[in-house]
Amino acid sequence: MSQSGLLSTAPGTVAEANAEAFARLDAADPWVVDVRLARDAIPGYTDRLVLTSGAPMPWTSYQGGQREALIGGALFEGLAASREEAIAGFADGSIQIGACHDYGAVGSLAGIYTASMPVFVVENRSHGNVGFCNFYEGKEPRRLNYGCYDEGVHQRLEHVNNVLAPVVGEAIRRQGGVALKPLIARALRMGDEVHSRNAAASVLFNREILPAVLDMVGEGFPGVRDSMLHLAENDYFFLRLSMAAAKATADAMVVPGSTLVSAMAFSCRGFAIKLAGLGDQWFEGPPPIHQGKLFAGHTDDEITWMGGESPITETIGLGGFAQACALSLQDYQGGSPEVMIERNMEMYRITHGENSTYRIPLFGFRGTPTAVDARKVLATGILPVMDVGLAGRDGGQIGAGVIRAPRECFEMAMTAFEQRYGAQ
């Protein structure tokens, strides 16, 4: 594959396809319109299906925390009475495993969905497609999506199912849905990048649903007080909304002939990307390159990979591509303001354009670098950067930091692109 051919702008080929894919991304209008159970909201969902993050894999390929999270999901859903029964069910196929992206969903870390879990339903009103994401479990480091399942995790999941989700869903419906794009744009101006920092966005969302919540209080709707206290103390609540909005946005990018990246995700096995011009095909490389800051008492040798699809936010120009909006992250994930600014500026060199809505005040309100072009990654050697939480080998979150996608994914993707479309 020749590097000189990768940046061709020949009319009628890659340039036009990329312009169309970018325009679709930039014009997206995601609204959260409902909260429903996964079995009722997600097309094709079955009662014995457990979804997880990353490119699809057989049960035998899952290991470590992601394997433990799948087992925990089966136990929570009542698909098995014991750990051993869950393992046997996955092995013989009586409990099915699915990849979140294949169902229009995205999962944080291990990304576990089961049939009874509530999901946000986010509609892209510009293109008619829908994205889904389940709820944040709470700030306790031991969470199902971080490979943990015990009585405390079970109780928190039950609280989400039976208290929090019904209240939030009712409030969203009473408001006629909530437009997420302007909310995200404002949060960027208030210090978020809506991946690893969601404090402002969470407050803004709470304000959007407050009128409905007040009406519900007056009507004696159950669980309102507990739900609002949960929202008030969990700055990460909005992450699942930003992920669903990003999924609904990115899924509209699919345009034959485009070299723009339409998804980035990883599993316990490795990191993978999709190209807008190659549909649902994943291109998987080794685990991501990482650096970060660990919580007290933890060491680098504990870091493990158990999946993650929150980089869908970076796919549409948020997260690591808006780091300069959220310089306070240095205290959480390490680094310095200077390094964060430099990383953010780098991303302009590998993206197709600048977002017309999501803007960075520090850069004179320049639009965030948006839509990674696989050709530019290979030509420049600059790898996409993402803000993430770091998981420990014994489960739970042990820190936070940044990762970069491995080059191998882009090499494989462009090889497949040339095989399908010819050298451009």
Side-chain angles (χ1 to χ4, degrees):
M1 179 175 59
S2 65
Q3 296 295 322
S4 61
L6 290 176
L7 293 176
S8 166
T9 57
T13 55
V14 175
E16 289 188 356
N18 283 351
E20 174 63 20
F22 178 83
R24 289 174 174 232
L25 184 162
D26 198 45
D29 184 19
W31 284 64
V32 58
V33 296
D34 207 352
V35 171
R36 300 174 64 196
L37 301 185
R39 65 161 63 92
D40 299 327
I42 300 176
Y45 210 100
T46 62
D47 283 347
R48 299 191 66 79
L49 174 66
V50 181
L51 298 186
T52 192
S53 293
M57 301 193 302
W59 165 245
T60 52
S61 293
Y62 290 100
Q63 59 185 339
Q66 190 163 20
R67 179 184 172 95
E68 293 302 312
L70 284 163
I71 294 168
L75 293 172
F76 173 74
E77 191 63 27
L79 302 179
S82 67
R83 174 185 171 82
E84 293 71 26
E85 189 176 322
I87 292 170
F90 283 122
D92 66 21
S94 59
I95 305 175
Q96 299 171 301
I97 302 173
C100 293
H101 271 281
D102 286 348
Y103 288 82
V106 275
S108 176
L109 266 294
I112 302 300
Y113 286 63
T114 65
S116 68
M117 287 183 180
V119 298
F120 289 111
V121 180
V122 175
E123 176 186 290
N124 179 353
R125 293 190 172 178
S126 293
H127 298 96
N129 59 296
V130 179
F132 308 96
C133 194
N134 56 7
F135 273 61
Y136 177 58
E137 298 169 47
K139 60 185 179 181
E140 164 63 45
R142 290 182 60 79
R143 305 192 289 273
L144 181 62
N145 70 320
Y146 272 90
C148 300
Y149 186 72
D150 55 27
E151 184 56 31
V153 173
H154 181 92
Q155 289 177 3
R156 288 188 289 277
L157 291 170
E158 289 282 6
H159 181 266
V160 169
N161 282 18
N162 300 325
V163 180
L164 178 63
V167 170
V168 174
E170 178 67 15
I172 289 170
R173 290 187 291 272
R174 291 188 182 206
Q175 290 299 101
V178 176
L180 297 177
K181 194 169 188 177
L183 193 157
I184 291 170
R186 186 171 186 186
L188 296 181
R189 300 194 295 272
M190 297 171 66
D192 284 357
E193 37 74 273
V194 296
H195 185 167
S196 280
R197 191 179 192 279
N198 286 274
S202 295
V203 170
L204 291 172
F205 177 76
N206 294 350
R207 191 180 72 169
E208 289 291 323
I209 64 172
L210 183 59
V213 169
L214 292 175
D215 288 342
M216 292 159 66
V217 170
E219 297 169 7
F221 196 96
V224 175
R225 183 179 185 276
D226 285 348
S227 296
M228 294 312 292
L229 288 174
H230 178 104
L231 296 183
E233 69 178 13
N234 285 293
D235 288 348
Y236 269 88
F237 176 81
F238 189 82
L239 172 59
R240 305 308 178 86
L241 283 161
S242 68
M243 289 173 61
K247 175 62 173 171
T249 297
D251 277 0
M253 291 175 64
V254 177
V255 175
S258 173
T259 59
L260 302 187
V261 173
S262 58
M264 296 190 286
F266 54 99
S267 66
C268 57
R269 184 170 70 182
F271 194 93
I273 66 169
K274 290 182 181 181
L275 294 189
L278 294 175
D280 287 332
Q281 187 175 1
W282 286 103
F283 301 95
E284 188 175 4
I289 304 157
H290 74 276
Q291 62 185 105
K293 180 178 179 181
L294 300 181
F295 301 154
H298 295 285
T299 56
D300 282 346
D301 63 343
E302 295 179 63
I303 296 173
T304 189
W305 304 110
M306 57 178 68
E309 294 175 337
S310 52
I312 194 67
T313 55
E314 278 81 6
T315 305
I316 69 161
L318 298 168
F321 288 59
Q323 269 193 14
C325 290
L327 297 182
S328 62
L329 276 177
Q330 62 181 300
D331 187 51
Y332 177 56
Q333 64 186 28
S336 68
E338 293 79 13
V339 169
M340 294 173 73
I341 291 167
E342 181 182 353
R343 282 196 202 108
N344 207 150
M345 291 298 294
E346 266 192 327
M347 297 301 98
Y348 286 105
R349 296 179 58 194
I350 61 170
T351 45
H352 178 83
E354 298 181 14
N355 202 290
S356 65
T357 303
Y358 304 141
R359 298 180 179 274
I360 302 176
L362 188 63
F363 296 166
F365 289 92
R366 186 177 180 182
T368 64
T370 299
V372 173
D373 188 337
R375 302 171 305 159
K376 293 182 179 181
V377 172
L378 296 181
T380 64
I382 297 171
L383 301 173
V385 67
M386 291 148 272
D387 298 328
V388 297
L390 298 174
R393 63 175 172 237
D394 297 322
Q397 183 178 5
I398 64 168
V402 296
I403 60 173
R404 287 189 186 261
R407 180 182 174 90
E408 290 89 335
C409 300
F410 300 92
E411 291 175 337
M412 288 186 285
M414 285 310 303
T415 296
F417 184 89
E418 291 192 356
Q419 288 172 350
R420 179 176 300 189
Y421 296 106
Q424 297 291 330

